[in-house]
Amino acid sequence: MNYRHLYYFWIVGKEGGFARAASRLGIAVQTVSAQVRALEKDLGHELLKPDGRGVVLTDAGRRALIRADEIFQLGKVLQDEVAQIASRPVMRFSVGLSDGLSKLAAHTLLQPVLEESGLQLLCHEGELEALLSELAQYRLDVVLASQPAPPNPNLRLLSDRIASSEIDWFGPRKWVGKEAQQAFPEILATLPVLLPTRHSMLRLSLDRWFDACAIKPNVVGEFEDSALMAVFGSKGMGVFPTSRLGASDWDLLPRLRRLGQCTGVHEDIYAIRHRRSDAHPLLQRVMRVSQLARGKGGL
């Protein structure tokens, strides 16, 4: 459909006739009439019909005018939005977060770019395989995951470990007192315990740690989303493990107390990206800051 034809019809409908429309547009009446007839031919239906010395809308014409109103109102919105975006620089950064990854740790890693002027941060959570597919199609700039990308010469992805954080256990005050802290980790056999689901790399490490400590935890809940697990824990459901890397964000959950350290268990975080996104300035900043922190023993 030719939108210029639609526009001329819209003006005719608004002005109530060809002559007024031609006057508003500053063109000949014959030109306006020809454009509207061309639109009717494209649609296969009559939109205007003679009425005395003028024209009126047919039923099809009234419906077409309603839709034309919507279309050209959207056109005005488009102009305004483009003008607004063009007036200020936008830095788009699209990040994939694999499910099971500590969201508080991810927030800490992304902290260096969060105050970027004009930042437009897009975060997508999902299974690693689906996120890597999005990455390969250039829909994501980076994927943060607890494991590197599997070898695949067709995808040609880059993986770097940017953090390796120790794991601490936290819980609400009613479960975490001095006696519980002194009895850690054996106390996990009696306290209500929240854990990541079994598809998480951290869960695999925790299960090995439980076996090594000869502990059968009293599991009352399992969560794919680590942030959701922290919320349920803060509300009194139980104690749970979390990456120390996100500990700076615990001021969001003041009801929690530290129960103990999960000795020997770490959460590794990898930045997976394609060669095209490797030059993204915000990704470079995240990588650079994490490397400096690791060099100082911070990550």
Side-chain angles (χ1 to χ4, degrees), residues 159-172:
S159 299
D160 279 308
R161 189 175 67 174
I162 60 173
S164 183
S165 177
E166 295 180 315
I167 301 299
D168 288 326
W169 285 81
F170 284 83

Side-chain angles (χ1 to χ4, degrees), residues 220-281:
V220 299
E222 299 183 46
F223 298 81
E224 287 188 358
D225 189 318
S226 59
L228 187 62
M229 181 171 65
V231 170
F232 274 76
S234 72
K235 297 297 185 180
M237 187 175 181
V239 299
F240 60 94
T242 188
S243 169
R244 187 175 295 179
L245 183 57
S248 60
D249 284 331
W250 286 123
D251 58 340
L252 301 174
L253 302 170
R255 300 183 184 90
L256 296 172
R257 297 183 67 180
R258 185 175 178 272
L259 176 60
Q261 179 182 345
C262 202
T263 306
V265 178
H266 295 78
E267 180 179 40
D268 294 332
I269 301 180
Y270 291 82
I272 308 172
R273 68 264 184 224
H274 48 71
R275 298 182 186 279
R276 178 174 167 181
S277 68
D278 208 29
H280 193 298

Side-chain angles (χ1 to χ4, degrees), residues 39-48 58 60:
L39 176 64
E40 291 177 324
K41 182 178 179 181
D42 287 341
L43 295 177
H45 297 281
E46 186 180 44
L47 303 177
L48 298 165
T58 64

Side-chain angles (χ1 to χ4, degrees), residues 2-297:
N2 187 313
Y3 282 86
R4 182 175 293 276
H5 297 166
L6 180 65
Y7 179 71
Y8 285 173
F9 161 73
W10 182 56
I11 297 298
V12 171
K14 289 290 188 183
E15 294 295 331
F18 287 110
R20 290 181 180 178
S23 177
R24 175 174 168 179
L25 293 168
I27 58 178
V29 173
Q30 294 82 355
T31 302
V32 177
S33 177
Q35 299 290 314
V36 173
R37 301 309 171 204
L39 176 64
E40 291 177 324
K41 182 178 179 181
D42 287 341
L43 295 177
H45 297 281
E46 186 180 44
L47 303 177
L48 298 165
K49 62 183 179 181
D51 181 48
R53 302 178 68 177
V55 292
V56 294
L57 293 165
T58 64
D59 289 342
R62 282 190 288 272
R63 174 59 63 181
L65 187 63
I66 291 172
R67 295 305 184 198
D69 270 332
E70 295 173 354
I71 289 171
F72 291 114
Q73 285 172 9
L74 283 174
K76 182 62 170 62
V77 171
L78 174 63
Q79 287 180 316
D80 293 342
E81 288 182 349
V82 168
Q84 181 182 11
I85 291 174
S87 66
R88 62 179 179 87
V90 174
M91 183 69 77
R92 183 179 182 277
F93 192 34
S94 186
V95 181
L97 302 174
S98 68
D99 50 7
L101 184 72
S102 169
K103 302 308 180 294
L104 293 173
H107 175 266
T108 300
L109 290 171
L110 294 174
Q111 188 67 46
V113 305
L114 295 183
E115 296 182 1
E116 174 70 24
S117 177
L119 173 67
Q120 186 180 48
L121 180 65
L122 305 174
C123 287
H124 305 263
E125 183 181 8
E127 295 184 1
L128 181 59
E129 184 177 354
L131 292 176
L132 294 183
S133 176
E134 294 286 301
L135 182 65
Q137 298 175 61
Y138 307 116
R139 295 174 182 169
L140 297 174
D141 296 311
V142 65
V143 170
L144 300 182
S146 55
Q147 62 189 90
N152 188 330
N154 295 323
L155 296 182
R156 303 177 70 180
L157 299 176
L158 305 171
S159 299
D160 279 308
R161 189 175 67 174
I162 60 173
S164 183
S165 177
E166 295 180 315
I167 301 299
D168 288 326
W169 285 81
F170 284 83
R173 294 179 181 275
K174 71 175 183 177
W175 299 120
V176 182
K178 288 185 178 180
E179 291 184 3
Q181 291 170 336
Q182 292 171 354
F184 180 85
E186 290 77 11
I187 193 69
L188 295 176
T190 55
L191 288 180
V193 170
L194 311 181
L195 289 176
T197 53
R198 294 187 182 276
H199 77 292
S200 164
M201 294 295 292
L202 177 58
R203 176 61 181 273
L204 297 177
S205 298
L206 288 169
D207 285 344
R208 288 193 293 267
W209 180 74
F210 287 132
D211 289 341
C213 296
I215 297 171
K216 185 176 180 180
N218 176 30
V219 180
V220 299
E222 299 183 46
F223 298 81
E224 287 188 358
D225 189 318
S226 59
L228 187 62
M229 181 171 65
V231 170
F232 274 76
S234 72
K235 297 297 185 180
M237 187 175 181
V239 299
F240 60 94
T242 188
S243 169
R244 187 175 295 179
L245 183 57
S248 60
D249 284 331
W250 286 123
D251 58 340
L252 301 174
L253 302 170
R255 300 183 184 90
L256 296 172
R257 297 183 67 180
R258 185 175 178 272
L259 176 60
Q261 179 182 345
C262 202
T263 306
V265 178
H266 295 78
E267 180 179 40
D268 294 332
I269 301 180
Y270 291 82
I272 308 172
R273 68 264 184 224
H274 48 71
R275 298 182 186 279
R276 178 174 167 181
S277 68
D278 208 29
H280 193 298
L282 298 186
L283 176 56
Q284 288 183 337
R285 189 184 306 172
V286 169
M287 299 284 289
R288 183 170 61 253
V289 171
S290 64
Q291 288 169 357
L292 289 173
R294 289 191 69 195
K296 296 177 181 179

